[in-house]
């Protein structure tokens, strides 16, 4: 596990914390992920957090470690606004931070919000159920208890078989929750579809 801060533009007092998918790899090169590659190209300040990855403890130890790293960043960079973006498994982890006031905004791209729904309908259910801790929570729990404090936007493709978008439908959009369904998008698109998502969605939401 590790974390890395890239201050590409120190005069812009914003840091974009990125939680990658996976989770079974370490993101070390910004060019290895389309989102970090894009933010790096746009000279954004980026903070990448990798995960401990402990079988049967997923969603708990990973969250605790990410929380610890965000708190450390907040202490070290007190003048910076922090924005959190997560993709796939990273999107799931990012959604758990909605019940805290640690960052300005949260964006989840193709991140699941219901562990039970994933276990029933996702094409990734085998590894997911063997990796997650029985104590792992999800955004459904936070939403059900009315604990959402930080504005959060969910982006999900209508043809995503890994993270079926239907699990988002019971979540009503309000001043804290926004749901954006991307017609015809699969789990991780490439080429023009990915460019459109990056340029017209991710950056637009963080800049407001």
């Amino acid at each position: 596990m590790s974390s890395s801060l890239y201050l590409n533009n120190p005069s812009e007092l914003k840091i974009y914390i990125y939680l990658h998918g996976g989770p079974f790899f370490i993101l070390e090169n910004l060019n290895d992920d389309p989102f970090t590659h894009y933010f790096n190209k746009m000279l954004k300040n980026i903070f990448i957090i990798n995960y401990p990855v402990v079988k049967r403890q997923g969603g708990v130890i990973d969250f605790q470690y990410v929380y610890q790293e965000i708190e450390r960043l907040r202490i070290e960079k007190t003048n910076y606004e922090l924005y959190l973006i997560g993709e796939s498994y990273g999107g799931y982890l990012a959604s758990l931070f909605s019940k805290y006031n640690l960052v300005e905004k949260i964006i989840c791209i193709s991140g699941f919000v219901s562990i039970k729904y994933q276990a029933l309908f996702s094409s990734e259910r085998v590894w997911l159920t063997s990796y997650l801790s029985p104590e792992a929570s999800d955004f459904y729990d936070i939403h059900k208890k009315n604990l959402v404090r930080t504005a959060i936007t969910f982006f999900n493709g209508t043809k995503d078989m890994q993270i079926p978008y239907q699990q988002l439908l019971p979540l009503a959009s309000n001043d804290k929750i926004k749901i954006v369904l991307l017609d015809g998008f699969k789990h991780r698109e490439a080429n023009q579809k990915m460019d459109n998502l990056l340029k017209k969605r991710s950056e637009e939401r963080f800049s407001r």
Side-chain angles (χ1 to χ4, degrees):
M1 58 186 175
S2 62
S3 59
S4 302
L5 176 61
Y6 302 86
L7 288 178
N8 293 318
N9 186 4
S11 62
E12 182 185 32
L13 298 179
K14 296 180 180 180
I15 296 176
Y16 301 93
I17 303 166
Y18 181 68
L19 306 182
H20 63 75
F24 306 109
F25 66 89
I26 295 176
L27 181 58
E28 296 180 310
N29 188 331
L30 293 177
N31 293 323
D32 289 342
D33 184 282
F35 296 100
T36 55
H37 173 74
Y38 177 75
F39 282 116
N40 189 49
K41 184 173 67 173
M42 298 297 292
L43 297 179
K44 302 296 183 182
N45 301 316
I46 312 165
F47 187 57
I48 297 173
I49 305 175
N50 291 299
Y51 318 124
V53 184
V54 179
K55 190 173 181 180
R56 298 301 296 165
Q57 291 301 313
V60 174
I61 288 182
D62 294 338
F63 173 79
Q64 292 169 350
Y65 179 72
V66 172
Y67 188 103
Q68 167 190 310
E69 289 300 287
I70 292 178
E71 280 283 34
R72 181 173 65 84
L73 182 66
R74 276 163 47 91
I75 293 171
E76 294 178 359
K77 302 296 180 183
T78 55
N79 293 332
Y80 286 78
E81 291 181 348
L82 304 182
Y83 296 82
L84 180 60
I85 180 171
E87 190 261 342
S88 195
Y89 178 73
Y92 155 70
L93 289 178
S95 74
L96 301 181
F97 285 88
S98 61
K99 66 178 179 179
Y100 304 100
N101 290 314
L102 297 178
V103 298
E104 300 294 322
K105 293 181 182 179
I106 300 171
I107 287 184
C108 302
I109 300 174
S110 301
F112 60 91
V113 296
S114 170
I115 294 173
K116 290 182 179 178
Y117 194 97
Q118 284 292 105
L120 290 173
F121 300 109
S122 171
S123 62
E124 301 291 304
R125 57 185 173 273
V126 174
W127 77 260
L128 185 69
T129 52
S130 66
Y131 178 68
L132 289 180
S133 166
E135 305 303 317
S137 62
D138 56 30
F139 186 78
Y140 263 30
D141 293 333
I142 297 170
H143 180 262
K144 183 171 60 178
K145 296 174 183 176
N146 295 315
L147 295 177
V148 179
R149 296 181 181 179
T150 300
I152 184 168
T153 300
F154 295 95
F155 292 96
N156 214 100
T158 59
K159 291 188 177 180
D160 189 339
M161 300 302 293
Q162 293 167 265
I163 313 290
Y165 77 92
Q166 288 86 351
Q167 64 191 284
L168 292 169
L169 298 182
L171 304 177
S173 291
N174 53 42
D175 62 332
K176 292 292 186 182
I177 303 171
K178 186 173 181 62
I179 299 168
V180 180
L181 297 181
L182 304 171
D183 189 43
F185 274 62
K186 299 178 182 178
H187 187 64
R188 174 174 276 193
E189 292 287 1
N191 303 321
Q192 191 59 49
K193 280 189 174 182
M194 178 61 78
D195 289 344
N196 290 341
L197 175 60
L198 290 166
K199 294 176 183 177
K200 296 181 181 179
R201 301 296 184 181
S202 301
E203 186 185 50
E204 173 188 335
R205 297 297 170 185
F206 276 131
S207 63
R208 291 181 178 177

